[in-house]
Amino acid sequence: MPESAPDGWALVDIKAVGICGTDYHILEGKHPFLNYPRVIGHELSGRVAETTGTWSQGQLVVVNPYLSCNACRACRRGKPNCCSNIEVLGVHRDGGLCARIAVPQENLYPATGLTDLQAAMVEFLAIGAHAVRRAALSGEDRVLVTGAGPIGIGTALFARLSGAEVHLLDVSRTRLNQATEKFGFKDTHLVGNDILSAPLQDGFDVIFDATGNAQAIEAGFSLLAHGSRYVLVSVVKETICFSDPEFHKRETQIIGSRNATGEDFEAVMSAIRASRIDTDALCTLTVRFEDLQSRINDLAKDREALIKAIVTF
């Protein structure tokens, strides 16, 4: 456990850590950007360990886990989320599933008005908020979110807040039922059904993929309307293939959405404070840190029934 931090950094005592698909992929050896061994944990809330800079001891903070270089072209153009030399906590360098962590002060955001658990949910919701902002949605857009896991649900919630008509597609009826019962999404579709029957025969103006599955991403191209946008939120190891004539005749835009920026973190915290996001519905269960080792494999197996599991300290 670090006892001191470099200049410009701060020590943070971790209070809660969300477990997400990335962590399960790491557990299963499926993450494309990771070298082992690694301490996981990037959905982090904590309290400042000692007063430093503008931060006060005991202050609740959200940790932005994307450590950018502030020097590459992307950083200079205000896009630190896709920094050429990015290091993501829990992926490229050890993360926050531990008692204390040192992070750059610029990667901390005050979690005023939030609980420890809510603060630990900001990062994964920011992924969806960033994707929705990248898509530049309007109230006239018909949206399909493929994959009704945590990232997909977060994306759907912010797409709905934009005023768009939101549909969800998934292979799991359990996940779709949760989306309806917990969050009120009525337009849900099970993979294998004819989704393009009337009145959806023209397709979707915007599709967000949150499946982490190459075949699902490729299948999504056929569901796009003419003049549409395809936002790839999930990342896969495989090469993605699509028909160029179908792509061109639709004048489709393909948009990669990676991580999130401070603007997205602030938007999520504002939505939580205003009760526009139901964090109680998002948090399926909590696990004490000392119990995680005995439960992590079961959590990985039971992902269909989980929205968000949060580790507490």
Side-chain angles (χ1 to χ4, degrees):
M1 184 169 70
E3 296 296 333
S4 61
D7 289 343
W9 288 49
L11 296 176
V12 177
D13 290 328
I14 299 298
K15 301 302 293 183
V17 181
I19 303 297
C20 86
T22 295
D23 299 313
Y24 296 127
H25 287 158
I26 290 170
L27 183 69
E28 296 163 350
K30 297 179 180 179
H31 197 283
F33 301 138
L34 183 130
N35 292 318
Y36 296 88
R38 181 65 67 229
V39 176
I40 62 172
H42 61 276
E43 299 180 6
L44 310 174
S45 76
R47 294 190 179 270
V48 177
E50 55 187 40
T51 298
T52 180
T54 60
W55 302 99
S56 301
Q57 184 178 19
Q59 185 175 2
L60 181 64
V61 292
V62 171
V63 177
N64 180 335
Y66 320 128
L67 277 58
S68 55
C69 72
N70 296 319
C72 71
R73 183 168 179 81
C75 286
R76 296 197 308 271
R77 292 171 60 84
K79 301 177 181 180
N81 59 299
C82 54
C83 165
S84 300
N85 305 300
I86 199 165
E87 291 185 303
V88 180
L89 298 179
V91 178
H92 303 94
R93 64 160 61 201
D94 285 343
L97 197 60
C98 56
R100 176 177 288 182
I101 191 171
V103 293
Q105 293 180 38
E106 65 187 20
N107 284 64
L108 302 180
Y109 306 122
T112 308
L114 274 59
T115 66
D116 294 348
L117 293 183
Q118 287 175 325
M121 287 185 263
V122 170
E123 190 274 341
F124 94 84
L125 289 169
I127 298 292
H130 181 73
V132 168
R133 184 162 64 87
R134 292 273 288 149
L137 292 185
S138 74
E140 297 179 354
D141 284 320
R142 179 192 294 158
V143 169
L144 177 67
V145 178
T146 59
I151 297 298
I153 290 294
T155 303
L157 289 170
F158 281 93
R160 185 168 63 184
L161 287 176
S162 77
E165 173 190 328
V166 180
H167 296 246
L168 283 163
L169 175 68
D170 201 278
V171 296
S172 168
R173 175 52 65 187
T174 297
R175 284 195 288 265
L176 292 175
N177 286 343
Q178 281 193 129
T180 300
E181 294 164 4
K182 290 179 175 289
F183 307 102
F185 289 105
K186 303 298 184 183
D187 296 315
T188 63
H189 309 273
L190 197 62
V191 170
N193 294 342
D194 182 12
I195 192 173
L196 293 184
S197 58
L200 303 176
Q201 67 268 22
D202 292 331
F204 295 88
D205 303 303
V206 183
I207 295 179
F208 296 92
D209 177 83
T211 64
N213 182 282
Q215 289 182 324
I217 293 172
E218 292 179 349
F221 282 93
S222 65
L223 304 178
L224 289 160
H226 285 241
S228 55
R229 307 182 294 285
Y230 198 2
V231 185
L232 303 184
V233 188
S234 62
V235 59
V236 297
K237 285 186 174 182
E238 297 89 345
T239 298
I240 302 301
C241 299
F242 56 89
S243 166
D244 185 62
E246 293 295 324
F247 168 78
H248 264 86
K249 78 178 185 181
R250 288 171 168 80
E251 198 180 49
T252 301
Q253 296 179 53
I254 301 178
I255 301 172
S257 183
R258 188 179 187 195
N259 302 328
T261 67
E263 179 180 350
D264 305 307
F265 278 77
E266 294 294 346
V268 170
M269 288 190 284
S270 177
I272 293 173
R273 292 186 190 107
S275 300
R276 296 197 302 270
I277 299 293
D278 186 351
T279 52
D280 288 340
L282 288 168
C283 182
T284 308
L285 57 85
T286 60
V287 181
R288 289 183 59 81
F289 175 71
E290 52 266 38
D291 298 329
L292 181 62
Q293 184 174 354
S294 64
R295 296 190 62 184
I296 185 67
N297 287 320
D298 288 336
L299 292 177
K301 293 174 183 176
D302 295 338
R303 294 207 294 267
E304 184 179 26
L306 285 176
I307 299 177
K308 182 57 58 179
I310 298 181
V311 180
T312 59
F313 285 75

